[in-house]
Amino acid sequence: MFRLLRPLAASATYSRWLHLLIPGAACSVWLFISMDTPWAPMVFAVPVGLLPGMRLAEGVQAQLLLTPAERGRPDATISATAATTWSDRWRTVLWLEIRLLVAVVVGFATVWLSGTAVDLVLTASGTGPSGQWLVREVEPHWWYALLSPLPILVLLAVVVASGELVTATARRLLGPSPVQRLTALEERTEQLLERNRIARELHDSIGHALTVAVVQAGAARAARDPEFTERALVAIEETGREALDDLERVLRVLRESGAPVGQQPTLAEADRLLDSARGSGAKIDADVSGPLEQVPGAVSREGYRILQESLTNVLRHSGTVPVRVRISVTNGRLELEVTNPLTGSAGTPGGGSGLRGIRERAALLGGIAKTGAHGGVWRVHASLPLNGLG
């Protein structure tokens, strides 16, 4: 029982009623002008519906009155865009024809059933029937008043059913076309990928800075050497400043919609990562070969982040151990390998988001990354195609 009455408490029921009364009122005006051509609004709807802007106007009105809960949402089932294809235009024409037909039915029911309820009350009061409605030339009786709610209930049922019908029709005919759905899906996918990329950027950059700071502070406290402590503080300051620059760049992108990502570090700046790790006490054996400056920007940036995360893992899980870094550009691929000795459980990084991020970065460029124990060392090896296609 309550489920049947629930639509009567929804504001959308009455906004949909208004949506249907608007064209009904326009048809009534036309009937006053010409009673001999009641079909004229249906014919006039054809050229009007073919106008590209009409789809936009109908979409905005339908969103506002038929599906107010979805208004402004990116996943709205009714689109508010101008027609771009002939298919969209003819769907708009069909929508206008159906809307006019349903509006005539609802408009007639609104007037006739409301009048019938009033007529029943007048008959029950003894004022007499109007002679124009359902009750005609009958003797007045008080019990006619008990019947007066029935036409109103029927009217409300017609309004609810017509509102559901016209809303379903609008979603079908004014909803996004397959091309628009694909475009929206691509935009949503791009947004998710961008958010995922930003999360990885923050994880790699901030995680690296914090790891260096912790290792440097621990080493300085253990060394009890003023000169070493000074060097450690300088390294912490430089690493922290770089992390703040990365954080500011990412936040600027988040604040300013459509703003460029800005200059991101590439493998051409790999020396600062290696120096940072050396400053933390790690012994870095680096071998770089091939024209790094010719590596495409996207590949070089992802390679930098993979190297950064690899060094961060070494410092975090193994401490200041010897690290072997090999970076080469050969046969159309960027090969990057970082190895360090396994030192018990501390030398085996877990399978957290850092290693997963390395594999994801490589996969996005069509490459492959392998992480794990290999021949008594922990190895991170990434192979990225320079064309980004694999």
Side-chain angles (χ1 to χ4, degrees):
M1 182 63 179
F2 290 105
R3 185 171 59 183
L4 295 175
L5 296 177
R6 190 175 301 140
L8 300 180
S11 60
T13 298
Y14 304 98
S15 64
R16 291 170 181 176
W17 192 359
L18 174 62
H19 182 268
L20 290 171
L21 290 178
I22 293 173
C27 291
S28 299
V29 172
W30 177 257
L31 290 178
F32 279 111
I33 298 173
S34 175
M35 291 288 292
D36 297 330
T37 56
W39 40 264
M42 302 290 292
V43 175
F44 185 65
V46 176
V48 172
L50 291 177
L51 297 175
M54 195 62 189
R55 185 174 182 83
L56 172 61
E58 288 295 314
V60 171
Q61 188 179 131
Q63 280 190 354
L64 182 63
L65 298 177
L66 297 182
T67 57
E70 298 180 5
R71 187 165 180 258
R73 285 168 42 181
D75 58 342
T77 54
I78 298 176
S79 62
T81 57
T84 56
T85 64
W86 280 102
S87 175
D88 288 342
R89 297 184 185 188
W90 285 114
R91 288 168 67 199
T92 306
V93 170
L94 181 58
W95 156 252
L96 290 176
E97 300 289 357
I98 295 175
R99 183 185 177 189
L100 283 173
L101 288 174
V102 178
V104 168
V105 173
V106 173
F108 179 78
T110 300
V111 175
W112 192 78
L113 291 173
S114 299
T116 299
V118 173
D119 207 33
L120 288 169
V121 173
L122 292 176
T123 302
S125 65
T127 304
S130 64
Q132 301 296 323
W133 303 100
L134 179 65
V135 184
R136 296 196 299 268
E137 299 179 1
V138 295
E139 294 297 327
H141 293 286
W142 65 269
W143 50 268
Y144 276 108
L146 300 179
L147 299 177
S148 60
L150 292 180
I152 300 301
L153 293 177
V154 174
L155 173 60
L156 291 176
V158 170
V159 168
V160 172
S162 300
E164 292 292 338
L165 173 62
V166 78
T167 301
T169 304
R171 285 173 172 154
R172 180 76 175 176
L173 298 177
L174 295 181
S177 64
V179 174
Q180 291 173 329
R181 290 192 183 96
L182 180 60
T183 301
L185 181 60
E186 290 176 346
E187 291 177 354
R188 179 62 175 164
T189 302
E190 288 294 330
Q191 292 175 356
L192 292 176
L193 288 175
E194 180 66 9
R195 290 174 62 180
N196 190 39
R197 187 191 65 78
I198 289 175
R200 288 199 306 266
E201 293 281 339
L202 288 176
H203 172 273
D204 294 350
S205 179
I206 305 303
H208 175 77
L210 290 177
T211 299
V212 169
V214 170
V215 172
Q216 289 279 14
R221 184 178 61 178
R224 299 183 182 278
D225 181 352
E227 184 177 349
F228 183 85
T229 300
E230 178 68 20
R231 291 198 305 271
L233 290 175
V234 171
I236 291 174
E237 180 184 6
E238 292 177 351
T239 305
R241 185 176 292 110
E242 292 170 359
L244 285 175
D245 290 341
D246 284 343
L247 180 61
E248 176 61 27
R249 175 179 54 80
V250 172
L251 292 179
R252 185 169 61 251
V253 171
L254 293 175
R255 286 194 300 265
E256 302 174 10
S257 176
V261 175
Q263 185 63 37
Q264 299 182 42
T266 65
L267 280 177
E269 304 170 63
D271 286 344
R272 78 175 191 178
L273 282 180
L274 301 176
D275 291 341
S276 176
R278 291 188 181 103
S280 299
K283 301 176 181 62
I284 305 295
D285 175 17
D287 180 15
V288 179
S289 61
L292 284 183
E293 66 281 358
Q294 297 180 13
V295 176
V299 179
S300 188
R301 288 191 294 270
E302 295 304 317
Y304 178 93
R305 292 304 184 188
I306 291 174
L307 176 60
Q308 184 180 55
E309 180 60 29
S310 301
L311 294 175
T312 301
N313 279 335
V314 173
L315 295 174
R316 180 183 298 146
H317 298 285
S318 299
T320 54
V321 297
V323 181
R324 186 170 180 264
V325 177
R326 294 292 181 267
I327 304 174
S328 64
V329 179
T330 179
N331 296 326
R333 302 186 73 86
L334 171 67
E335 303 289 340
L336 191 154
E337 184 178 80
V338 179
T339 59
N340 64 277
L342 291 173
T343 56
S345 59
T348 307
S353 59
L355 297 180
R356 183 172 64 250
I358 289 175
R359 293 189 289 269
E360 289 176 351
R361 288 180 184 276
L364 285 174
L365 294 174
I368 187 173
K370 297 179 179 180
T371 61
H374 180 77
V377 298
W378 180 266
R379 184 181 71 162
V380 175
H381 179 264
S383 177
L384 309 178
L386 297 186
N387 59 10
L389 298 176

